[in-house]
Amino acid sequence: MKRRKISSPKTRIEKDALGPVKVPAHAYHGAQTQRAAENFPISGWRLSGGFVRALGLIKKAAAETNLSLGLLDRRRAAAIIASAREVAEGRFDDEFVVDVFQTGSGTSTNMNANEVIANRAIERLGGKRGSKKPVHPNDHVNKGQSSNDVIPTALHLAALVDLEKFLYPSLKILRKSLERKAKKFDSVVKLGRTHLQDAVPVRLGQEFSGYAAQIELAEEGVRKASDRLRGLPIGGTAVGTGVNTHPAFAKGVCARLSKATKLKLHEARNHFEAQAARDGAVELSGALKVLACALMKVANDIRWMASGPHGGLGEITLPDLQPGSSIMPGKVNPVMCEAVTQVAAQVVGADTAVTVGGATGNFELNVMIPVMAHNLLESIRISGNVSKIFAERCVDGIKVRPARCRALAERSGALVTALVPHLGYDLAAQIGLESGRTGRTVREIVKERGLLSDRELDKALELRKMTEPTRPRSKRRVKR
């Protein structure tokens, strides 16, 4: 006779203040998380792994601080610290099941962290998941904290960590790539353009130096804006007064987080501002939007210069990365530039969501923190990823067509600008307009009219010279 196999139950029953809740038997999260998962089946989006890891670091630092202050016994504290460390290492990312669109304080996500850490700690101590014994998610894991200071602290921490991890290294790669091209292309003179119309010549290297400077300045703006996030709201608890927390708690947590992340962090200057407003996040998002605009400009210019190759400008060529058409054989498109512009559009849109979020909330709490966190962290991540890929798969492989660049510059009526000191503005304007109407070059028209000698004309229309600043002639000393 075969022994009957007894299957384990698929759910367990937990209780919270509102009553019993069925929780998946295997889950480390508990009743409050389960309610939120059922209440908010909206987008399927979850707060990022970086945000979850920030929560793990905060809970670990909080338990260590409470232990040092004599507010947690060593046995419970050790179990909480070890479990929070696992969350910070990403081992429980799948347990964070609450949608981005949830309670505006992020209470559900904070409780998600509390319950996962508590149940893992209980398991370590030989207890049963969901029992809340000997570790309680609120009384022990959340001790001295509130969702209202933990969640904005996690937003600050995750943003600062992701900037260091995703964005700054990638921007350095892109800037260096552009700088190398600026140096390599410095001798290539080409037609300048304003209003998408011909303008006086410029060197291709000068254009690329401008792109590199755009990226550098945008990064400076992001770094400056991010400094506001170094002040952490932790310690303000519910409304900024610090009710139910030790006076030394916030300082202890900030010091431990600084050590763990190697970031310079400190307690918020004013806890009422730190919880009621998310102005720092709005400022950082705005700086990321500036970066997006810079990336858009650079990518658009590069794909314009590479347009054609026969029906467009065709001044540079881009690496062939993939077939560009399902119907036109041999067509290759500037796909990396297109990816950059799409990311830029996404970041600009995300900034709108962050801006609206920052303007929302009443009195002591902003109530759109999860959606602000989602958009801000996503913007950091995709901006960093696309900057690196753009540098390595596009900019590094750009090649120039010097003859094409020079030919376009030589044919342009804009060269007449260099003759203004010799002919005056009005006559130069007539020559420029005639060049545009007839397709004849400025050189041909001036020679035909006999307005300047060949030597004067060659000197005035020296392309390289036009791209360099005019230096005033030194005054001769008058002998007395």
Side-chain angles (χ1 to χ4, degrees), residues 405-435:
C405 289
R406 189 169 188 88
L408 291 177
E410 289 278 8
R411 280 171 29 203
S412 174
L415 294 187
V416 79
T417 305
L419 302 183
V420 171
H422 303 276
L423 306 178
Y425 184 90
D426 291 338
L427 181 55
Q430 292 176 18
I431 295 169
L433 290 170
E434 184 179 343
S435 175

Side-chain angles (χ1 to χ4, degrees), residues 216 348 405 457:
E216 183 178 23
V348 171
C405 289
L457 193 56

Side-chain angles (χ1 to χ4, degrees), residues 63-78:
E64 290 170 340
T65 302
N66 281 325
L67 174 62
S68 70
L69 295 172
L71 301 175
L72 270 181
D73 64 87
R74 188 165 296 279
R75 183 168 174 264
R76 282 195 182 95

